[in-house]
Each structure stands twice: as C-alpha cells, then as structure tokens.
Amino acid sequence: MNSLMNGSRTVRFAALATAVAIGVTLLLAGCASPPPKQAELKLVWPPPPLQPRVKFVRSIISEESLNRDTTFGEEVVAFLTGQAMPINHIAEPVGLAVSDDTDRLYVSDMMQRAVFVFDFRKNVFLKYNDVGIPGGLALDAQERLYVVDMDKKSIRVFGPDRKLVNVIVDETVTKPTGIAVDKVNGKVYLVDTSNRASGEMNVKVYDLQGKRIGQIGGSQGGEFGEFSYPTYATVDDKGNLYVSDTMNARVQKFDVNGKHLYTYGQPGSDWGEFERPKGLAVDSFGNLYVADSGWSNVQIFNEHGQVLLFFGGRGPLPGMLKNPLAVAIDKNNRIYVGDYLNHRVEVYDLVNTTAGDSFLKPPAKNPVPKGAKK
C-alpha cells in the first residue's frame, strides 16, 4: 500500500473517475443487443496501472442475493432501467456484523425495523422483527446478537436461535447508536450520541450481563477522550476500542482500560481527513477502516494512524457509495459496507496485501486537537 502515498488528491480522483467511466461505457455499449459471455469487469483501488489492493466483489440487496451473485453489469442495467424492488430489499442499512466463521452477515435496517441475516453457507435468509428501531449491531463469542434499539434506548440481546435473552436498559442513555463487543474481556460498549442538553456524549461500558461498569468521555468536547456526537465503535483483537467522533471529524482509540491511545484524522478533504466519519472495522493486519458518510468513501489506516488507501467514492453504480454508514470485516478480510442511500451492502476483498504492506515509516507524534490542553 505504500506506493499509494504518492500523487495529489486530484490525480487520485481523476484516475478513479476514468476507471469507472471506461467500465460504464463498455457495459452500456452492450445494452442494445445481448453481449457475448465475457469476464466480469470489477472496480479496484487503486486503479491500474498501480497494484490493486481492494476489489469490489458484489452487492447484497435483498433475499434474492443469496441465490446468485448480482453481477456488475446487471446492477448497472437495473439502475438505469428502474427495475422493481424485490422482496426483503435492504432499505436503510445502519448496522452490520459478521459471524466468526464468516458464514452469516447481519444487517440492521432502520426503515424496515428489522435485522436481516444472510446465511451464505446454508443459503438461508432470516429476519429479526422484534428489534424496535435498530441501530448498531455486534456479536459475542457465542454469536449472541446485540441490537441497539434506538426507539427504547436499550440493547436487545438475542441467542443464536433468534430468541430474546436479555434487554440492557440504562436510564442515562439519551440517543444510542453504535455498539461493540469485546469478546475476550467480556465488555459491551454502547455509543451514546446524545445531545447538547443531556451532557451524555460518551461511550457507556457494560459487562455481558448488562451491568454498567464504566464510561469513556462525558459532555461534549474536543480534547482527547471527549466527543462531539460520536456514532460508531469497534474493538480489535487486543481489546482496543475505536470510536468515531463524528462532529469532531476524527476517530479516537482507547486501550482496554479506557485510556486514550491515539486520534486519527481531522476535518478536511485530503488523505487521512474526514467530513463525517461513521462506521469502523479492523482487518486481520490491525488496519482500521473508517467509512466517511460525507465523502462517501472508506479510508484505511495502519496501527500508527498513517493513511494507506481509500476506496469507494460517491455514486450509484455498484462498488461506489452514497453516504456509507456501517462497516464489518470478516477474518478473511472480506469487507462489508452499509451503503445507506444506495439501499444495499457493498462487498469488497482486500487483495495482494500482506502485513508488511501496512508499514510506511515511523509515525509522527499524534497532534493535539485545536483548543485542547497539551
């Protein structure tokens, strides 16, 4: 990934736009008459002639996606011809989780007030309906599903049999959104986006039975350990917690005890900068993926906070994104992105990449936020 650090943002976006334009032209040229069977064109980042690192795989749009892969060409034609929406179509994907064995993808749909389950191994589609207005999702080591109920300001916990086993209620919660489960240390992190009046813009910490055991942050602020309308969270295999500090346009990293370790990003439109960071996930190399709903892309950072690559970009075509929210990554580095305004989940693979590709150079000292105490 280190070769991607060269070149301006203008060049990067121009190259991406050219790759997309070429692909669309080839596809539309064949729409007048049935084209011969040929290899599928897939978007990759960075575009040729650079070594591809992220490859678009497919779109998951409905129950029908279990029966076959919807190809790039079919998705473009469906978009242009306005085909009817199939049953159980994803409408507003705001939360994602993937099982440890990589077989099952969980998608919370805020509009339809349901959680969809795509079981790829069994080729089965399931649905949780008793979830209120669902937000973030997380799974524990037993694959119990934790669903943020934004309506009842609680966490609903379901067993692998889809039966409700617990409801975590905390009267201090104002506006719950994201959630993460530390499977090793037995902790549940609930992101309370809250509002200015409540003084509760923080991350609340519970054990797996739902007992409150702590919190990170307090009222709104811009110093390390403070948040301004946080939204999503994730945990890596070391127990470190990452929180998207959305209105501060950054992501904060904490250790298992809640100590601030590092801050990624700042407001802006260049490498490593954000407009509205939302969904978070960590791959098998320890790299952090951040979905930016403002720029409609996903940026990848190494463990030192150095930006490696972005993928996506704003647009309706398959592989592009419109205001993405949640992100999930399985143990094989397959990447799922909740493509909110395109009403689908986009699937990508990390390719041609080893642990060594995440190393760039010794990191610079993490800067102190503007207005913060040194």
Side-chain angles (χ1 to χ4, degrees):
M1 293 187 187
N2 49 353
S3 62
L4 306 182
M5 296 299 292
N6 299 320
S8 69
R9 183 168 62 91
T10 300
V11 172
R12 297 199 321 272
F13 277 95
L16 178 57
T18 301
V20 173
I22 292 172
V24 173
T25 300
L26 292 173
L27 287 164
L28 296 184
C31 288
S33 59
K37 186 72 175 180
Q38 56 184 342
E40 272 300 308
L41 176 66
K42 296 291 187 182
L43 288 178
V44 295
W45 291 267
L50 297 176
Q51 173 82 294
R53 301 295 186 174
V54 173
K55 177 179 72 174
F56 171 66
V57 177
R58 61 178 297 199
S59 298
I60 298 175
I61 58 175
S62 69
E63 179 180 2
E64 187 178 284
S65 300
L66 277 172
N67 299 319
R68 65 188 180 90
D69 287 348
T70 305
T71 66
F72 184 95
E74 288 173 329
E75 280 288 285
V76 173
V77 172
F79 163 71
L80 294 174
T81 59
Q83 292 180 9
M85 183 178 291
I87 61 170
N88 290 322
H89 192 292
I90 293 171
E92 292 182 344
V94 297
L96 297 175
V98 61
S99 61
D100 287 343
D101 60 11
T102 75
D103 289 339
R104 287 165 296 285
L105 174 68
Y106 296 77
V107 183
S108 66
D109 192 310
M110 185 169 65
M111 178 184 289
Q112 303 193 57
R113 298 194 175 197
V115 175
F116 300 145
V117 185
F118 297 85
D119 191 320
F120 302 113
R121 184 173 65 85
K122 295 181 179 178
N123 199 39
V124 171
F125 174 86
L126 301 170
K127 185 189 293 188
Y128 293 74
N129 289 309
D130 186 22
V131 292
I133 299 178
L137 300 178
L139 297 168
D140 66 15
Q142 286 71 48
E143 204 172 327
R144 293 188 300 176
L145 177 67
Y146 295 70
V147 183
V148 174
D149 182 349
M150 296 187 290
D151 181 33
K152 298 296 177 61
K153 302 177 183 180
S154 62
I155 303 170
R156 302 179 72 80
V157 186
F158 298 86
D161 57 0
R162 289 187 293 147
K163 292 182 179 180
L164 184 67
V165 297
N166 194 14
V167 178
I168 301 173
V169 180
D170 183 339
E171 62 182 12
T172 69
V173 174
T174 304
K175 187 179 179 181
T177 48
I179 190 170
V181 172
D182 182 345
K183 299 175 183 179
V184 175
N185 297 292
K187 294 184 177 183
V188 178
Y189 296 97
L190 177 65
V191 181
D192 193 349
T193 302
S194 195
N195 54 57
R196 289 181 183 273
S198 72
E200 287 287 334
M201 286 186 192
N202 53 36
V203 178
K204 295 171 171 63
V205 189
Y206 308 87
D207 63 21
L208 295 180
Q209 289 70 48
K211 178 183 177 182
R212 177 78 171 267
I213 57 176
Q215 78 174 42
I216 300 172
S219 58
Q220 185 179 19
E223 296 187 16
F224 292 149
E226 295 181 335
F227 305 104
S228 181
Y229 298 92
T231 50
Y232 285 81
T234 194
V235 178
D236 64 23
D237 58 7
K238 299 176 183 177
N240 297 314
L241 172 71
Y242 304 78
V243 182
S244 52
D245 188 4
T246 300
M247 296 308 291
N248 279 327
R250 64 188 185 183
V251 174
Q252 296 196 63
K253 179 180 180 180
F254 304 88
D255 69 14
V256 69
N257 297 312
K259 177 184 176 182
H260 177 271
L261 296 176
Y262 202 86
T263 295
Y264 304 76
Q266 61 184 0
S269 60
D270 211 336
W271 285 96
E273 297 177 339
F274 301 118
E275 183 173 333
R276 294 290 183 270
K278 296 289 182 69
L280 306 171
V282 178
D283 69 17
S284 67
F285 303 122
N287 298 319
L288 175 67
Y289 293 61
V290 185
D292 192 318
S293 65
W295 296 121
S296 289
N297 63 21
V298 178
Q299 294 195 68
I300 308 175
F301 297 80
N302 66 15
E303 289 185 276
H304 301 302
Q306 298 168 315
V307 63
L308 302 173
L309 177 67
F310 86 95
F311 64 92
R314 192 167 189 84
L317 298 177
M320 307 297 282
L321 301 166
K322 275 189 178 181
N323 295 66
L325 296 181
V327 182
I329 302 177
D330 71 19
K331 67 179 182 181
N332 297 321
N333 292 325
R334 172 152 286 191
I335 308 154
Y336 299 89
V337 181
D339 192 2
Y340 184 72
L341 291 184
N342 281 325
H343 318 297
R344 64 195 181 193
V345 174
E346 297 293 74
V347 187
Y348 309 83
D349 278 342
L350 184 65
V351 297
N352 306 316
T353 301
T354 65
D357 294 312
S358 300
F359 177 77
L360 296 176
K361 59 184 178 180
K365 184 178 180 181
N366 195 195
V368 176
K370 292 180 180 180
K373 298 176 182 178
K374 292 186 179 181

